[in-house]
Amino acid sequence: MRTCSLHKSERRFGAAIVAPATVFLLSTFLFPMLYMLYLSLHRVQLSNFRGVWEFVGTKQFLRVLRDPGFWVVVSRTLQFVFLSVGLEFVVGLLLALGFYSLFKKANFLTTLVVIPVMLAPLAVGLMWRYMLSIDHGFVNQLLGLLRIPSIPWLSIEPLPIVGNLSLFGRQLSDVLNLNWGFLAVVLIDVWQTSPFIFLLLLAGLRSLPGDPLEAASVDGASYWQTVRHIVLPMLRPIIGVSLFIRTMDSLKAFENIWALFGNSVVMRTLNIQIYTYDIQMSNYGLGSAASVLVLLLALIPTCIFLKYLEG
Amino acid sequence: MQLKGKWRRFLQLFVVLAVLLIWGLPLLWLVVSSIMPSDVFYATKFSLNFRPSLEHYSAVLNKPYYLGSVFNSLVVATIGTIVAVSIGSLAAYGVARYQVGGRLYTLGILGLKMVPPMVLSIPFYVIFAKMGLINTRSALIIVGAAFNLPFVMWLIRGFIVDIPKELDEAAYIDGASRLKVMLLTLRLVVPGIVTAAIFCFIFLWNEFIFASILAFSPAAKTMPVALGDFITAYSIQWGPMLAASAMVVLPVAVLTLSLQRNIISGLTYGAVKG
């Protein structure tokens, strides 16, 4: 009897301290999500915002899904995610291996590399917009010192690899975003966030037991053999986590692209598309339909990862 | 797995130079160009032969409402952080010690961290418009605290789980109440709470998406939104734009350098522990 009542008061105390956060999260996540679903099924625009919202069923979803422009945006977003996360992983891994194998401690240097991770993506985007400007931007000035001609970074000029193809060059660069502007978007993202992967992998490397690595090098394994067959397999969990976090973050990307190209159709990703429906077109119903679709897209990697955490 | 031999020195030098060139130089250049006087700044040939001038900064600060946006940013970031960290640490303790909601709750928090902010911008806009909260700091504080709460709870929960339960039991045997034990534990994880607060503050300071959609009137803007105005202007005034960027970026860079231990532990915490 006593233990039972104790148990009850214990549970009550736990519930009481979790309650404020729970209520807050439910009203700021669950309620807006349900409301978004409601909006997506109704015609809600600036013109009838204060009036009656007519029920239109799945009409707005179909409008989004039938818009060829939407699919271009989806493919560009996926390309941005895979390309930037892939490059970030390569850069982050090389940096982590370099720091781990060359320096005992490099606190200042490590922190210097990490600074960009903490900065506002909008300000970073604007900074690079200035540095990459074609005529006398800093990057082109530096390239000029090496006698490399100016590069039209922030344009949709095709990259040389496809630009030189006379037949399908233009089409290839349009479909696969093989232009300088898209490359700049990806590289700026890599500049800002590969330090995050670097930091996680460095922490992972430092937490590895030293013995197997020493043993391998005594056995005469080369540096790259040790990395490939021993270090990378041991780092697998942390590589998984860092790739997942970065994938989800790059699905959220908006400001850095916005800072470089604003609302321009040629660089739109899903978040900018939603912004366009919402702010530029003031079509809240249509924007909600697109938002529901993007949320479903973000759900796929999240479920995979939560499954992986469970298993 | 240290690299040895004659290549070591060479490679060390290479890595240091590459890091300084790729990550250090652009940030340094941002600061340097923001203090260039206009005639050097807008000249086609660049030179480093100039007297530092704060003219771009004063141009930004003299813009109408700009000082107000600094104030808005500070208020939103400070109050948002206090809200998120206070209800977040209580909840983190409940989740860690009383297993409220079980594993599902913990996974749910992780799931919420993944929601792209832009997705919820429209429902928030419509809800706040109905409530008459568009162009208020309250709207930004509510949404900002909400979007940081999952991270805050996740981080502090991790710190609490690391503290052995035997400490609680010893305190209970001494006759301490639940509330007392909770406060005792929370005092032990103050470093974790501070880390969570630093991140929360920086995220809110940087926040642009909600701020630009929910508070866009001249008087309600935060600094990033005021900075965003440079993009849509007819022609970009590069000098003031760089000064405005520097004013958003530099406080965070200084904070990162001076609080490096908190920043690095906060960034790596969840991932390394799994």
Side-chain angles (χ1 to χ4, degrees):
Chain A
M1 201 56 212
R2 223 186 102 83
T3 47
C4 183
S5 75
L6 215 148
H7 207 77
K8 215 171 175 184
S9 84
E10 195 172 58
R11 240 193 290 167
R12 215 177 283 154
F13 183 78
I17 55 176
V18 176
T22 312
V23 171
F24 192 53
L25 288 176
L26 287 179
S27 52
T28 48
F29 279 93
L30 192 65
F31 175 62
M33 278 186 203
L34 295 175
Y35 196 59
M36 173 170 76
L37 206 58
Y38 174 82
L39 290 174
S40 69
L41 300 172
H42 292 76
R43 202 176 71 87
V44 188
Q45 297 171 2
L46 196 60
S47 52
N48 70 336
F49 190 68
R50 304 226 169 265
V52 185
W53 298 350
E54 179 198 342
F55 179 79
V56 291
T58 55
K59 220 166 137 192
Q60 298 182 115
F61 284 97
L62 292 177
R63 188 176 153 195
V64 172
L65 290 172
R66 283 191 188 135
D67 176 8
F70 180 75
W71 292 102
V72 173
V73 170
V74 170
S75 91
R76 186 180 297 122
T77 308
L78 293 179
Q79 206 189 336
F80 169 75
V81 170
F82 285 117
L83 208 59
S84 56
V85 174
L87 275 174
E88 279 152 26
F89 176 69
V90 173
V91 174
L93 179 66
L94 287 178
L95 264 183
L97 285 173
F99 270 58
Y100 179 66
S101 335
L102 294 169
F103 307 113
K104 282 254 155 57
K105 255 186 178 173
N107 288 340
F108 175 73
L109 216 55
T110 310
T111 317
L112 182 74
V113 181
V114 171
I115 288 177
V117 179
M118 304 304 294
L119 302 180
L122 182 79
V124 168
L126 284 175
M127 177 186 95
W128 281 105
R129 185 167 173 173
Y130 167 70
M131 309 264 267
L132 293 177
S133 51
I134 177 157
D135 30 11
H136 41 275
F138 188 57
V139 173
N140 280 341
Q141 298 259 17
L142 286 183
L143 293 178
L145 292 178
L146 302 171
R147 307 208 176 280
I148 298 172
S150 280
I151 289 173
W153 288 105
L154 300 178
S155 72
I156 52 163
E157 250 341 272
L159 292 173
I161 30 164
V162 284
N164 295 339
L165 299 175
S166 52
L167 204 49
F168 292 116
R170 248 312 174 199
Q171 283 80 351
L172 262 179
S173 92
D174 283 350
V175 175
L176 295 173
N177 299 302
L178 296 170
N179 54 56
W180 286 109
F182 188 73
L183 184 70
V185 165
V186 170
L187 288 181
I188 292 170
D189 201 60
V190 172
W191 180 83
Q192 187 172 15
T193 53
S194 58
F196 174 72
I197 294 190
F198 150 72
L199 199 61
L200 293 194
L201 295 185
L202 185 64
L205 281 170
R206 295 229 162 106
S207 68
L208 290 182
D211 303 341
L213 305 179
E214 293 306 321
S217 67
V218 170
D219 286 348
S222 79
Y223 184 81
W224 288 114
Q225 280 171 332
T226 319
V227 168
R228 256 197 69 194
H229 299 293
I230 298 177
V231 175
L232 287 183
M234 286 174 100
L235 284 181
R236 247 185 77 174
I238 203 167
I239 290 174
V241 171
S242 58
L243 288 182
F244 171 72
I245 297 179
R246 279 302 313 143
T247 305
M248 297 317 291
D249 276 350
S250 67
L251 272 176
K252 296 179 188 167
F254 169 74
E255 295 104 308
N256 39 8
I257 306 171
W258 176 255
L260 293 171
F261 291 97
N263 197 22
S264 157
V265 181
V266 289
M267 287 302 154
R268 252 183 222 167
T269 56
L270 281 168
N271 288 325
I272 298 178
Q273 187 67 38
I274 295 177
Y275 188 87
T276 311
Y277 290 139
D278 184 11
I279 302 300
Q280 245 81 23
M281 297 164 59
S282 298
N283 194 335
Y284 310 116
L286 194 64
S288 295
S291 301
V292 171
L293 295 173
V294 173
L295 195 60
L296 289 177
L297 180 71
L299 216 58
I300 300 169
T302 306
C303 286
I304 295 173
F305 182 69
L306 291 183
K307 259 252 154 68
Y308 164 86
L309 271 188
E310 285 279 73
Chain B
M1 211 187 47
Q2 293 281 316
L3 270 177
K4 296 200 176 75
K6 62 180 173 179
W7 286 102
R8 189 183 163 87
R9 283 257 145 229
F10 173 75
L11 281 171
Q12 273 178 339
L13 190 71
F14 176 77
V15 171
V16 170
L17 283 180
V19 163
L20 289 179
L21 183 73
I22 297 174
W23 281 280
L25 191 61
L27 291 173
L28 182 70
W29 193 247
L30 169 69
V31 179
V32 170
S33 9
S34 73
I35 53 171
M36 275 183 189
S38 284
D39 52 332
V40 181
F41 185 85
Y42 292 109
T44 37
K45 268 254 171 228
F46 77 166
S47 87
L48 283 172
N49 186 14
F50 64 88
R51 245 190 205 182
S53 132
L54 291 178
E55 61 177 280
H56 300 312
Y57 287 89
S58 69
V60 173
L61 290 170
N62 282 329
K63 280 176 91 147
Y65 298 111
Y66 191 82
L67 277 177
S69 76
V70 178
F71 178 72
N72 289 337
S73 276
L74 284 172
V75 170
V76 170
T78 309
I79 301 184
T81 302
I82 293 172
V83 172
V85 169
S86 53
I87 64 176
S89 9
L90 284 184
Y93 183 78
V95 171
R97 280 294 191 259
Y98 292 89
Q99 271 85 39
V100 181
R103 188 139 176 82
L104 195 70
Y105 197 102
T106 324
L107 287 180
I109 298 170
L110 259 185
L112 289 186
K113 271 175 69 177
M114 311 310 165
V115 176
M118 186 56 88
V119 163
L120 290 185
S121 63
I122 296 177
F124 274 130
Y125 178 80
V126 177
I127 292 168
F128 285 124
K130 296 228 154 217
M131 291 166 67
L133 285 177
I134 293 293
N135 286 324
T136 61
R137 288 188 287 266
S138 318
L140 297 186
I141 291 170
I142 295 170
V143 177
F147 263 77
N148 280 296
L149 196 51
F151 168 77
V152 168
M153 282 173 69
W154 183 250
L155 191 76
I156 299 178
R157 188 201 74 102
F159 275 84
I160 294 173
V161 168
D162 279 354
I163 290 180
K165 266 194 170 151
E166 287 73 31
L167 274 173
D168 296 25
E169 277 149 27
Y172 281 129
I173 288 167
D174 286 348
S177 65
R178 288 187 204 297
L179 197 68
K180 193 102 190 256
V181 174
M182 178 178 83
L183 292 177
L184 240 127
T185 313
L186 286 181
R187 194 172 304 162
L188 289 176
V189 294
V190 162
I193 296 177
V194 170
T195 303
I198 294 167
F199 273 85
C200 209
F201 188 90
I202 292 178
F203 289 153
L204 285 168
W205 176 264
N206 289 345
E207 211 286 317
F208 175 73
I209 295 179
F210 290 126
S212 71
I213 291 175
L214 302 177
F216 42 81
S217 77
K221 271 176 199 172
T222 58
M223 279 169 86
V225 181
L227 180 59
D229 288 349
F230 285 101
I231 306 171
T232 39
Y234 286 106
S235 64
I236 294 188
Q237 300 167 281
W238 290 107
M241 189 215 79
L242 283 182
S245 298
M247 279 189 264
V248 173
V249 157
L250 285 184
V252 177
V254 171
L255 217 58
T256 308
L257 277 174
S258 49
L259 301 167
Q260 43 176 299
R261 291 188 55 174
N262 293 82
I263 300 278
I264 288 176
S265 80
L267 283 174
T268 50
Y269 196 83
V272 183
K273 304 273 301 194

